[in-house]
Structure formats: structure tokens, C-alpha cells
Amino acid sequence: MSGGQSAGGIHVARDEPADTHFAGLAIGGLLSGCFGGEERAESPKLGLCETLLGAKNGEAAVKTTCGSDAEVGGTPQADVLVERLVREAKQSQESDLQRTRYTGCRMDTFEGDEISGTVDATVKWSALSLGIMDSPENSRRWRQANPSVCVEPETAPGLTRLIAACAVPGTIESQPSDLPLQFDVSEASLGTENRWELLSTFARSIVKEMDCMKPPIIPSALPATA
């Protein structure tokens, strides 16, 4: 699996085409605690992001990375993301190594003209397999929540990852274990626990819409170390 990462978020490599439905929207006065006691400007786009990430989680993330305004983008409709994921899985072959990363929600907060923080929530079919826990080296980094879900609390500085088995009807036989769903949330200033709140809510939002033959159970608490 190839791909670049930066402190501001996840960059998509050439073998991971970016979601072409990314749209920006400027929001002023996002949270009353950010500056001057102003009310947060209501935004349909931000509201949709909160349906994926959770309203309280979204507000906490914005507050932590607070600037004077923000740009919100992505494809925050779970059913749209799921439609693209299912279509891709049904077209996938075992030799296929290309995976499309879809941005569910991206929030860039600004202080003046400078970005003060970026929260990125993405989903894709992973090039990893659920057998990663079999390696002693990997088991030190990954936590197994249950037989169908593994979590890597610190994939890289500011990045938390979850992979979950989801058998989709009409796909290759090995798809559930060799082509699991991968969810990433990034932003260093949030801290692991806050990123996990966003990540687990995001994963549950997508899984709820997926037609998994045996839906994975996404835990509410970050799995403990072995």
C-alpha cells in the first residue's frame, strides 16, 4: 500500500484517486468558545459532517483546532460513500492493489490566512488483511477489538486507523478478510482518545449503511492493549 501523510491530514497517492465530490464551504464563528463569544454559523455541510462524526464529537474537534473560520468538505452522506465502496468491491479482483480513498469529512480551521488544524475522516477498502495481528511486531501496534475489528491507535503522529471485516454479497470469496474496510481519522492536536471518538462514530455510521452479511461490531471504547 502506498500513500503519503502529513501533519495536516492524509494525502492520496497516485494509486488512490481522490474523491472527486470534495466541496469547500467557509464557516465563520464556528463555536462560541472559539472567540469573542460569537455564535457558531449554521451550515448544512457542517451538519452533515456531524451525522457521520457525531454532533458533540464534531464540535469538540472544531473547538480543539479552533481558528477564526473553517472550510468543510468531503462527501458526508453515508449512503453515497457506501454505494461507491460496494461498487468498487464488486469490481475488485484478487490481483487488484489499487484502492480509492474516500473523504467522508474534512474540516480545515483557520487563524487568519493560516491553517490552524485539519481533521480528516476517510474510508477505503484496505490493502491490509485481518491477519496483521498474527505478527508479533504488528500485535504491538495493533489492538484487536474482536475477531472482525482491529485498531491501530497511532498509525503515524496524529493518525488513528481501524480495519473491519465486511463481507459484501457479489464480491470475491476472500473479500471479507483480504479486503476489509479501513477507516482513518487524522489531526495531531486532537489526541488519541478524541480521534477514537470520531473514528469509531464514523465507522459505525458507514457500517450501518453497508450490506455486510455479518456486520462488524465497532466498540465505543478504544480497545485495551493485549
Tab-separated table of all heavy atoms in Angstrom, residues 54-121:
chain	number	residue	atom	x	y	z
A	54	GLY	N	-20.722	12.523	14.572
A	54	GLY	CA	-21.365	12.804	15.846
A	54	GLY	C	-21.308	14.287	16.138
A	54	GLY	O	-20.251	14.917	16.000
A	55	ALA	N	-22.433	14.886	16.512
A	55	ALA	CA	-22.501	16.337	16.722
A	55	ALA	C	-21.521	16.793	17.798
A	55	ALA	O	-20.767	17.742	17.617
A	55	ALA	CB	-23.928	16.748	17.078
A	56	LYS	N	-21.523	16.116	18.942
A	56	LYS	CA	-20.630	16.517	20.034
A	56	LYS	C	-19.169	16.317	19.649
A	56	LYS	O	-18.303	17.133	19.974
A	56	LYS	CB	-20.959	15.731	21.300
A	56	LYS	CG	-22.295	16.101	21.933
A	56	LYS	CD	-22.535	15.329	23.220
A	56	LYS	CE	-23.861	15.733	23.855
A	56	LYS	NZ	-24.135	14.976	25.114
A	57	ASN	N	-18.884	15.217	18.950
A	57	ASN	CA	-17.513	14.960	18.519
A	57	ASN	C	-17.042	16.010	17.523
A	57	ASN	O	-15.902	16.473	17.581
A	57	ASN	CB	-17.409	13.574	17.884
A	57	ASN	CG	-17.710	12.454	18.849
A	57	ASN	OD1	-17.547	12.607	20.055
A	57	ASN	ND2	-18.156	11.326	18.328
A	58	GLY	N	-17.940	16.386	16.601
A	58	GLY	CA	-17.572	17.400	15.618
A	58	GLY	C	-17.304	18.737	16.270
A	58	GLY	O	-16.332	19.422	15.941
A	59	GLU	N	-18.143	19.120	17.207
A	59	GLU	CA	-17.943	20.392	17.903
A	59	GLU	C	-16.659	20.369	18.725
A	59	GLU	O	-15.914	21.354	18.774
A	59	GLU	CB	-19.140	20.688	18.798
A	59	GLU	CG	-20.393	21.069	18.018
A	59	GLU	CD	-21.451	21.705	18.906
A	59	GLU	OE1	-21.220	21.789	20.128
A	59	GLU	OE2	-22.489	22.129	18.369
A	60	ALA	N	-16.383	19.235	19.387
A	60	ALA	CA	-15.158	19.127	20.186
A	60	ALA	C	-13.929	19.236	19.298
A	60	ALA	O	-12.933	19.877	19.655
A	60	ALA	CB	-15.152	17.810	20.948
A	61	ALA	N	-13.995	18.617	18.109
A	61	ALA	CA	-12.866	18.683	17.183
A	61	ALA	C	-12.633	20.100	16.698
A	61	ALA	O	-11.498	20.575	16.628
A	61	ALA	CB	-13.116	17.748	16.002
A	62	VAL	N	-13.708	20.798	16.353
A	62	VAL	CA	-13.579	22.183	15.891
A	62	VAL	C	-13.026	23.060	17.004
A	62	VAL	O	-12.163	23.912	16.786
A	62	VAL	CB	-14.938	22.723	15.398
A	62	VAL	CG1	-14.863	24.220	15.138
A	62	VAL	CG2	-15.361	21.994	14.123
A	63	LYS	N	-13.501	22.844	18.225
A	63	LYS	CA	-13.040	23.649	19.356
A	63	LYS	C	-11.559	23.439	19.609
A	63	LYS	O	-10.812	24.385	19.865
A	63	LYS	CB	-13.838	23.292	20.609
A	63	LYS	CG	-13.489	24.138	21.818
A	63	LYS	CD	-14.388	23.809	22.996
A	63	LYS	CE	-14.063	24.699	24.199
A	63	LYS	NZ	-14.946	24.376	25.355
A	64	THR	N	-11.095	22.185	19.514
A	64	THR	CA	-9.686	21.879	19.769
A	64	THR	C	-8.772	22.524	18.742
A	64	THR	O	-7.665	22.949	19.066
A	64	THR	CB	-9.481	20.349	19.754
A	64	THR	OG1	-10.326	19.759	20.735
A	64	THR	CG2	-8.028	19.995	20.077
A	65	THR	N	-9.215	22.580	17.489
A	65	THR	CA	-8.384	23.138	16.412
A	65	THR	C	-8.862	24.527	16.021
A	65	THR	O	-8.711	24.948	14.873
A	65	THR	CB	-8.439	22.224	15.173
A	65	THR	OG1	-9.797	22.124	14.728
A	65	THR	CG2	-7.915	20.840	15.496
A	66	CYS	N	-9.430	25.276	16.970
A	66	CYS	CA	-10.190	26.473	16.673
A	66	CYS	C	-9.382	27.585	16.008
A	66	CYS	O	-8.315	27.945	16.453
A	66	CYS	CB	-10.806	27.008	17.964
A	66	CYS	SG	-11.952	28.354	17.677
A	67	GLY	N	-9.936	28.101	14.927
A	67	GLY	CA	-9.421	29.291	14.280
A	67	GLY	C	-10.552	30.290	14.157
A	67	GLY	O	-11.572	30.189	14.840
A	68	SER	N	-10.390	31.243	13.275
A	68	SER	CA	-11.424	32.256	13.101
A	68	SER	C	-12.501	31.805	12.117
A	68	SER	O	-13.596	32.349	12.096
A	68	SER	CB	-10.795	33.566	12.607
A	68	SER	OG	-10.080	33.354	11.407
A	69	ASP	N	-12.185	30.820	11.269
A	69	ASP	CA	-13.190	30.239	10.395
A	69	ASP	C	-12.710	28.856	9.959
A	69	ASP	O	-11.673	28.380	10.391
A	69	ASP	CB	-13.495	31.133	9.178
A	69	ASP	CG	-12.277	31.407	8.326
A	69	ASP	OD1	-11.320	30.608	8.373
A	69	ASP	OD2	-12.283	32.408	7.585
A	70	ALA	N	-13.489	28.200	9.115
A	70	ALA	CA	-13.121	26.856	8.676
A	70	ALA	C	-13.684	26.572	7.307
A	70	ALA	O	-14.619	27.231	6.851
A	70	ALA	CB	-13.627	25.816	9.674
A	71	GLU	N	-13.095	25.608	6.640
A	71	GLU	CA	-13.631	25.083	5.400
A	71	GLU	C	-13.990	23.623	5.653
A	71	GLU	O	-13.199	22.865	6.209
A	71	GLU	CB	-12.630	25.201	4.252
A	71	GLU	CG	-12.458	26.631	3.762
A	71	GLU	CD	-11.479	26.721	2.598
A	71	GLU	OE1	-10.904	25.673	2.242
A	71	GLU	OE2	-11.300	27.828	2.077
A	72	VAL	N	-15.195	23.248	5.270
A	72	VAL	CA	-15.688	21.894	5.496
A	72	VAL	C	-15.959	21.258	4.152
A	72	VAL	O	-16.608	21.853	3.295
A	72	VAL	CB	-16.978	21.911	6.347
A	72	VAL	CG1	-17.502	20.499	6.577
A	72	VAL	CG2	-16.728	22.613	7.675
A	73	GLY	N	-15.458	20.060	3.940
A	73	GLY	CA	-15.663	19.404	2.655
A	73	GLY	C	-15.710	17.900	2.786
A	73	GLY	O	-15.629	17.338	3.870
A	74	GLY	N	-15.822	17.232	1.661
A	74	GLY	CA	-15.893	15.790	1.631
A	74	GLY	C	-17.195	15.317	1.027
A	74	GLY	O	-17.898	16.062	0.335
A	75	THR	N	-17.541	14.088	1.298
A	75	THR	CA	-18.815	13.509	0.874
A	75	THR	C	-19.482	12.966	2.121
A	75	THR	O	-19.362	11.784	2.442
A	75	THR	CB	-18.594	12.382	-0.153
A	75	THR	OG1	-17.828	12.878	-1.244
A	75	THR	CG2	-19.922	11.856	-0.686
A	76	PRO	N	-20.134	13.815	2.892
A	76	PRO	CA	-20.602	13.424	4.219
A	76	PRO	C	-21.908	12.628	4.243
A	76	PRO	O	-22.510	12.477	5.294
A	76	PRO	CB	-20.778	14.775	4.926
A	76	PRO	CG	-21.138	15.715	3.831
A	76	PRO	CD	-20.368	15.250	2.626
A	77	GLN	N	-22.342	12.109	3.098
A	77	GLN	CA	-23.530	11.263	3.073
A	77	GLN	C	-23.096	9.805	3.116
A	77	GLN	O	-22.475	9.302	2.173
A	77	GLN	CB	-24.370	11.522	1.815
A	77	GLN	CG	-24.936	12.925	1.732
A	77	GLN	CD	-24.013	13.872	0.987
A	77	GLN	OE1	-22.855	13.557	0.751
A	77	GLN	NE2	-24.538	15.018	0.606
A	78	ALA	N	-23.438	9.108	4.198
A	78	ALA	CA	-23.001	7.717	4.370
A	78	ALA	C	-23.476	6.830	3.229
A	78	ALA	O	-22.725	5.983	2.735
A	78	ALA	CB	-23.507	7.182	5.707
A	79	ASP	N	-24.707	7.033	2.761
A	79	ASP	CA	-25.233	6.163	1.712
A	79	ASP	C	-24.478	6.339	0.400
A	79	ASP	O	-24.280	5.375	-0.350
A	79	ASP	CB	-26.734	6.389	1.517
A	79	ASP	CG	-27.090	7.834	1.181
A	79	ASP	OD1	-26.267	8.741	1.448
A	79	ASP	OD2	-28.199	8.072	0.659
A	80	VAL	N	-24.030	7.567	0.123
A	80	VAL	CA	-23.259	7.818	-1.100
A	80	VAL	C	-21.893	7.145	-1.009
A	80	VAL	O	-21.430	6.497	-1.958
A	80	VAL	CB	-23.103	9.328	-1.349
A	80	VAL	CG1	-22.203	9.583	-2.559
A	80	VAL	CG2	-24.463	9.982	-1.567
A	81	LEU	N	-21.231	7.283	0.125
A	81	LEU	CA	-19.939	6.631	0.330
A	81	LEU	C	-20.071	5.122	0.198
A	81	LEU	O	-19.246	4.458	-0.435
A	81	LEU	CB	-19.378	6.991	1.706
A	81	LEU	CG	-18.924	8.439	1.904
A	81	LEU	CD1	-18.648	8.703	3.378
A	81	LEU	CD2	-17.677	8.730	1.077
A	82	VAL	N	-21.107	4.572	0.814
A	82	VAL	CA	-21.316	3.121	0.787
A	82	VAL	C	-21.566	2.636	-0.639
A	82	VAL	O	-21.032	1.595	-1.057
A	82	VAL	CB	-22.485	2.735	1.713
A	82	VAL	CG1	-22.949	1.309	1.435
A	82	VAL	CG2	-22.069	2.890	3.163
A	83	GLU	N	-22.346	3.374	-1.407
A	83	GLU	CA	-22.617	2.992	-2.790
A	83	GLU	C	-21.321	2.870	-3.583
A	83	GLU	O	-21.130	1.916	-4.351
A	83	GLU	CB	-23.537	4.025	-3.438
A	83	GLU	CG	-23.895	3.712	-4.893
A	83	GLU	CD	-24.728	4.816	-5.528
A	83	GLU	OE1	-25.065	5.786	-4.838
A	83	GLU	OE2	-25.036	4.682	-6.726
A	84	ARG	N	-20.401	3.827	-3.380
A	84	ARG	CA	-19.125	3.796	-4.104
A	84	ARG	C	-18.243	2.654	-3.624
A	84	ARG	O	-17.581	1.976	-4.425
A	84	ARG	CB	-18.408	5.139	-3.932
A	84	ARG	CG	-19.160	6.291	-4.571
A	84	ARG	CD	-18.558	7.622	-4.206
A	84	ARG	NE	-19.423	8.702	-4.646
A	84	ARG	CZ	-19.278	9.964	-4.285
A	84	ARG	NH1	-18.300	10.308	-3.467
A	84	ARG	NH2	-20.118	10.882	-4.718
A	85	LEU	N	-18.237	2.413	-2.321
A	85	LEU	CA	-17.427	1.329	-1.770
A	85	LEU	C	-17.914	-0.031	-2.270
A	85	LEU	O	-17.112	-0.884	-2.662
A	85	LEU	CB	-17.474	1.367	-0.244
A	85	LEU	CG	-16.679	2.483	0.439
A	85	LEU	CD1	-17.134	2.657	1.881
A	85	LEU	CD2	-15.179	2.183	0.383
A	86	VAL	N	-19.211	-0.239	-2.255
A	86	VAL	CA	-19.776	-1.516	-2.693
A	86	VAL	C	-19.512	-1.743	-4.175
A	86	VAL	O	-19.128	-2.843	-4.602
A	86	VAL	CB	-21.286	-1.578	-2.389
A	86	VAL	CG1	-21.927	-2.799	-3.054
A	86	VAL	CG2	-21.520	-1.620	-0.882
A	87	ARG	N	-19.689	-0.704	-4.970
A	87	ARG	CA	-19.430	-0.820	-6.406
A	87	ARG	C	-17.969	-1.193	-6.654
A	87	ARG	O	-17.666	-2.059	-7.490
A	87	ARG	CB	-19.774	0.494	-7.108
A	87	ARG	CG	-19.583	0.428	-8.625
A	87	ARG	CD	-20.175	1.638	-9.328
A	87	ARG	NE	-19.567	2.880	-8.890
A	87	ARG	CZ	-20.231	3.856	-8.255
A	87	ARG	NH1	-21.515	3.712	-7.985
A	87	ARG	NH2	-19.606	4.956	-7.891
A	88	GLU	N	-17.059	-0.562	-5.925
A	88	GLU	CA	-15.638	-0.858	-6.094
A	88	GLU	C	-15.317	-2.288	-5.670
A	88	GLU	O	-14.552	-2.991	-6.344
A	88	GLU	CB	-14.804	0.129	-5.269
A	88	GLU	CG	-13.314	-0.061	-5.435
A	88	GLU	CD	-12.508	0.940	-4.618
A	88	GLU	OE1	-13.084	1.940	-4.142
A	88	GLU	OE2	-11.297	0.704	-4.448
A	89	ALA	N	-15.886	-2.749	-4.549
A	89	ALA	CA	-15.621	-4.100	-4.059
A	89	ALA	C	-16.101	-5.156	-5.051
A	89	ALA	O	-15.453	-6.184	-5.259
A	89	ALA	CB	-16.294	-4.307	-2.707
A	90	LYS	N	-17.239	-4.919	-5.683
A	90	LYS	CA	-17.777	-5.884	-6.637
A	90	LYS	C	-16.956	-5.951	-7.919
A	90	LYS	O	-16.982	-6.952	-8.630
A	90	LYS	CB	-19.238	-5.549	-6.951
A	90	LYS	CG	-20.180	-5.829	-5.790
A	90	LYS	CD	-21.626	-5.521	-6.143
A	90	LYS	CE	-22.548	-5.896	-4.996
A	90	LYS	NZ	-23.979	-5.617	-5.298
A	91	GLN	N	-16.215	-4.886	-8.201
A	91	GLN	CA	-15.380	-4.857	-9.401
A	91	GLN	C	-13.948	-5.312	-9.113
A	91	GLN	O	-13.157	-5.496	-10.025
A	91	GLN	CB	-15.359	-3.444	-9.987
A	91	GLN	CG	-16.710	-2.968	-10.502
A	91	GLN	CD	-16.715	-1.497	-10.887
A	91	GLN	OE1	-15.771	-0.756	-10.587
A	91	GLN	NE2	-17.772	-1.054	-11.547
A	92	SER	N	-13.616	-5.516	-7.834
A	92	SER	CA	-12.243	-5.821	-7.441
A	92	SER	C	-11.856	-7.263	-7.747
A	92	SER	O	-12.665	-8.181	-7.626
A	92	SER	CB	-12.065	-5.551	-5.943
A	92	SER	OG	-10.759	-5.864	-5.536
A	93	GLN	N	-10.601	-7.445	-8.164
A	93	GLN	CA	-10.031	-8.771	-8.375
A	93	GLN	C	-8.942	-9.011	-7.330
A	93	GLN	O	-8.425	-8.070	-6.720
A	93	GLN	CB	-9.421	-8.875	-9.779
A	93	GLN	CG	-10.406	-8.594	-10.900
A	93	GLN	CD	-11.545	-9.600	-10.938
A	93	GLN	OE1	-11.319	-10.797	-10.783
A	93	GLN	NE2	-12.765	-9.118	-11.147
A	94	GLU	N	-8.574	-10.270	-7.102
A	94	GLU	CA	-7.582	-10.586	-6.073
A	94	GLU	C	-6.240	-9.927	-6.356
A	94	GLU	O	-5.492	-9.599	-5.442
A	94	GLU	CB	-7.421	-12.103	-5.947
A	94	GLU	CG	-8.635	-12.769	-5.308
A	94	GLU	CD	-8.352	-14.211	-4.914
A	94	GLU	OE1	-7.170	-14.531	-4.699
A	94	GLU	OE2	-9.299	-14.992	-4.829
A	95	SER	N	-5.914	-9.738	-7.637
A	95	SER	CA	-4.630	-9.132	-8.007
A	95	SER	C	-4.663	-7.610	-7.942
A	95	SER	O	-3.642	-6.953	-8.104
A	95	SER	CB	-4.241	-9.569	-9.424
A	95	SER	OG	-5.253	-9.192	-10.349
A	96	ASP	N	-5.835	-7.053	-7.687
A	96	ASP	CA	-6.001	-5.591	-7.635
A	96	ASP	C	-5.327	-5.019	-6.406
A	96	ASP	O	-5.629	-5.418	-5.280
A	96	ASP	CB	-7.485	-5.237	-7.565
A	96	ASP	CG	-7.936	-4.442	-8.764
A	96	ASP	OD1	-7.066	-3.884	-9.441
A	96	ASP	OD2	-9.143	-4.403	-9.015
A	97	LEU	N	-4.440	-4.052	-6.590
A	97	LEU	CA	-3.791	-3.395	-5.463
A	97	LEU	C	-4.246	-1.947	-5.305
A	97	LEU	O	-3.905	-1.304	-4.312
A	97	LEU	CB	-2.261	-3.432	-5.624
A	97	LEU	CG	-1.629	-4.826	-5.633
A	97	LEU	CD1	-0.125	-4.725	-5.833
A	97	LEU	CD2	-1.948	-5.573	-4.345
A	98	GLN	N	-4.969	-1.440	-6.277
A	98	GLN	CA	-5.423	-0.052	-6.203
A	98	GLN	C	-6.674	0.050	-5.340
A	98	GLN	O	-7.594	-0.752	-5.461
A	98	GLN	CB	-5.705	0.502	-7.598
A	98	GLN	CG	-4.461	0.649	-8.451
A	98	GLN	CD	-4.751	1.398	-9.744
A	98	GLN	OE1	-5.904	1.589	-10.115
A	98	GLN	NE2	-3.708	1.835	-10.418
A	99	ARG	N	-6.678	1.046	-4.469
A	99	ARG	CA	-7.815	1.279	-3.590
A	99	ARG	C	-8.132	2.778	-3.629
A	99	ARG	O	-7.229	3.618	-3.509
A	99	ARG	CB	-7.500	0.883	-2.146
A	99	ARG	CG	-7.007	-0.549	-1.981
A	99	ARG	CD	-8.131	-1.563	-2.120
A	99	ARG	NE	-7.643	-2.903	-1.854
A	99	ARG	CZ	-7.289	-3.775	-2.781
A	99	ARG	NH1	-7.357	-3.434	-4.054
A	99	ARG	NH2	-6.869	-4.980	-2.458
A	100	THR	N	-9.391	3.117	-3.755
A	100	THR	CA	-9.790	4.523	-3.755
A	100	THR	C	-10.092	4.957	-2.331
A	100	THR	O	-10.861	4.312	-1.623
A	100	THR	CB	-11.038	4.738	-4.630
A	100	THR	OG1	-10.766	4.281	-5.958
A	100	THR	CG2	-11.410	6.212	-4.670
A	101	ARG	N	-9.468	6.047	-1.911
A	101	ARG	CA	-9.726	6.607	-0.585
A	101	ARG	C	-10.804	7.680	-0.712
A	101	ARG	O	-10.669	8.625	-1.485
A	101	ARG	CB	-8.448	7.218	-0.009
A	101	ARG	CG	-8.576	7.677	1.445
A	101	ARG	CD	-7.334	8.451	1.879
A	101	ARG	NE	-6.122	7.684	1.745
A	101	ARG	CZ	-5.663	6.836	2.675
A	101	ARG	NH1	-6.341	6.652	3.785
A	101	ARG	NH2	-4.531	6.181	2.481
A	102	TYR	N	-11.884	7.529	0.054
A	102	TYR	CA	-12.995	8.475	0.012
A	102	TYR	C	-12.981	9.345	1.265
A	102	TYR	O	-12.888	8.832	2.389
A	102	TYR	CB	-14.334	7.730	-0.076
A	102	TYR	CG	-14.450	6.848	-1.299
A	102	TYR	CD1	-14.216	5.477	-1.205
A	102	TYR	CD2	-14.787	7.381	-2.539
A	102	TYR	CE1	-14.313	4.661	-2.326
A	102	TYR	CE2	-14.890	6.576	-3.666
A	102	TYR	CZ	-14.645	5.209	-3.550
A	102	TYR	OH	-14.735	4.408	-4.657
A	103	THR	N	-13.082	10.636	1.062
A	103	THR	CA	-13.139	11.566	2.178
A	103	THR	C	-14.578	11.723	2.643
A	103	THR	O	-15.417	12.234	1.904
A	103	THR	CB	-12.572	12.948	1.786
A	103	THR	OG1	-11.214	12.799	1.388
A	103	THR	CG2	-12.647	13.920	2.966
A	104	GLY	N	-14.853	11.265	3.869
A	104	GLY	CA	-16.182	11.455	4.438
A	104	GLY	C	-16.372	12.883	4.898
A	104	GLY	O	-17.356	13.544	4.574
A	105	CYS	N	-15.390	13.387	5.636
A	105	CYS	CA	-15.449	14.762	6.122
A	105	CYS	C	-14.034	15.283	6.332
A	105	CYS	O	-13.177	14.583	6.862
A	105	CYS	CB	-16.222	14.826	7.442
A	105	CYS	SG	-16.386	16.511	8.078
A	106	ARG	N	-13.816	16.505	5.917
A	106	ARG	CA	-12.547	17.196	6.158
A	106	ARG	C	-12.873	18.592	6.670
A	106	ARG	O	-13.644	19.320	6.043
A	106	ARG	CB	-11.715	17.292	4.878
A	106	ARG	CG	-10.387	18.034	5.068
A	106	ARG	CD	-9.661	18.190	3.747
A	106	ARG	NE	-8.440	18.967	3.880
A	106	ARG	CZ	-7.216	18.449	3.916
A	106	ARG	NH1	-7.061	17.145	3.823
A	106	ARG	NH2	-6.164	19.229	4.038
A	107	MET	N	-12.322	18.937	7.807
A	107	MET	CA	-12.530	20.261	8.392
A	107	MET	C	-11.187	20.956	8.539
A	107	MET	O	-10.344	20.529	9.320
A	107	MET	CB	-13.214	20.142	9.766
A	107	MET	CG	-14.610	19.562	9.700
A	107	MET	SD	-15.466	19.581	11.317
A	107	MET	CE	-14.557	18.312	12.198
A	108	ASP	N	-10.984	22.022	7.764
A	108	ASP	CA	-9.792	22.867	7.891
A	108	ASP	C	-10.171	24.097	8.695
A	108	ASP	O	-11.059	24.856	8.292
A	108	ASP	CB	-9.285	23.318	6.514
A	108	ASP	CG	-8.666	22.190	5.721
A	108	ASP	OD1	-7.989	21.341	6.319
A	108	ASP	OD2	-8.864	22.159	4.490
A	109	THR	N	-9.529	24.308	9.834
A	109	THR	CA	-9.782	25.515	10.606
A	109	THR	C	-8.638	26.501	10.378
A	109	THR	O	-7.490	26.104	10.227
A	109	THR	CB	-9.920	25.197	12.109
A	109	THR	OG1	-8.738	24.542	12.574
A	109	THR	CG2	-11.126	24.305	12.354
A	110	PHE	N	-8.992	27.787	10.353
A	110	PHE	CA	-8.025	28.826	10.014
A	110	PHE	C	-7.909	29.867	11.115
A	110	PHE	O	-8.892	30.199	11.780
A	110	PHE	CB	-8.462	29.540	8.728
A	110	PHE	CG	-8.346	28.706	7.491
A	110	PHE	CD1	-9.345	27.804	7.155
A	110	PHE	CD2	-7.246	28.812	6.663
A	110	PHE	CE1	-9.256	27.039	6.010
A	110	PHE	CE2	-7.135	28.042	5.517
A	110	PHE	CZ	-8.145	27.153	5.190
A	111	GLU	N	-6.720	30.389	11.275
A	111	GLU	CA	-6.451	31.585	12.075
A	111	GLU	C	-5.876	32.596	11.100
A	111	GLU	O	-4.712	32.494	10.706
A	111	GLU	CB	-5.471	31.289	13.204
A	111	GLU	CG	-5.202	32.489	14.104
A	111	GLU	CD	-6.473	33.007	14.776
A	111	GLU	OE1	-7.267	32.192	15.273
A	111	GLU	OE2	-6.661	34.240	14.774
A	112	GLY	N	-6.702	33.529	10.681
A	112	GLY	CA	-6.292	34.436	9.611
A	112	GLY	C	-6.197	33.656	8.315
A	112	GLY	O	-7.125	32.945	7.935
A	113	ASP	N	-5.027	33.747	7.653
A	113	ASP	CA	-4.818	33.014	6.413
A	113	ASP	C	-4.117	31.687	6.634
A	113	ASP	O	-3.837	30.956	5.676
A	113	ASP	CB	-3.979	33.858	5.432
A	113	ASP	CG	-4.731	35.099	4.969
A	113	ASP	OD1	-5.975	35.032	4.914
A	113	ASP	OD2	-4.072	36.118	4.670
A	114	GLU	N	-3.797	31.376	7.891
A	114	GLU	CA	-3.049	30.161	8.189
A	114	GLU	C	-3.979	29.058	8.688
A	114	GLU	O	-4.874	29.297	9.501
A	114	GLU	CB	-1.985	30.444	9.259
A	114	GLU	CG	-0.953	31.492	8.863
A	114	GLU	CD	-0.070	31.001	7.728
A	114	GLU	OE1	0.221	29.795	7.686
A	114	GLU	OE2	0.316	31.837	6.884
A	115	ILE	N	-3.738	27.829	8.213
A	115	ILE	CA	-4.494	26.685	8.707
A	115	ILE	C	-4.021	26.351	10.119
A	115	ILE	O	-2.832	26.137	10.349
A	115	ILE	CB	-4.320	25.461	7.790
A	115	ILE	CG1	-4.957	25.720	6.426
A	115	ILE	CG2	-4.946	24.211	8.416
A	115	ILE	CD1	-4.825	24.572	5.440
A	116	SER	N	-4.948	26.335	11.068
A	116	SER	CA	-4.587	26.010	12.450
A	116	SER	C	-4.847	24.549	12.787
A	116	SER	O	-4.382	24.046	13.798
A	116	SER	CB	-5.385	26.904	13.416
A	116	SER	OG	-6.784	26.738	13.232
A	117	GLY	N	-5.570	23.849	11.933
A	117	GLY	CA	-5.805	22.432	12.161
A	117	GLY	C	-6.605	21.827	11.031
A	117	GLY	O	-7.346	22.519	10.327
A	118	THR	N	-6.442	20.529	10.819
A	118	THR	CA	-7.195	19.808	9.792
A	118	THR	C	-7.633	18.465	10.347
A	118	THR	O	-6.808	17.668	10.767
A	118	THR	CB	-6.343	19.571	8.530
A	118	THR	OG1	-5.978	20.827	7.958
A	118	THR	CG2	-7.123	18.775	7.501
A	119	VAL	N	-8.925	18.251	10.366
A	119	VAL	CA	-9.480	16.967	10.778
A	119	VAL	C	-9.931	16.237	9.531
A	119	VAL	O	-10.751	16.755	8.762
A	119	VAL	CB	-10.673	17.147	11.745
A	119	VAL	CG1	-11.251	15.799	12.133
A	119	VAL	CG2	-10.251	17.920	12.981
A	120	ASP	N	-9.389	15.054	9.297
A	120	ASP	CA	-9.690	14.270	8.110
A	120	ASP	C	-10.275	12.930	8.518
A	120	ASP	O	-9.680	12.220	9.335
A	120	ASP	CB	-8.403	14.009	7.326
A	120	ASP	CG	-8.472	14.512	5.897
A	120	ASP	OD1	-9.588	14.712	5.394
A	120	ASP	OD2	-7.410	14.697	5.283
A	121	ALA	N	-11.426	12.564	7.956
A	121	ALA	CA	-12.033	11.248	8.181
A	121	ALA	C	-12.221	10.579	6.830
A	121	ALA	O	-12.986	11.082	5.996
A	121	ALA	CB	-13.359	11.376	8.910
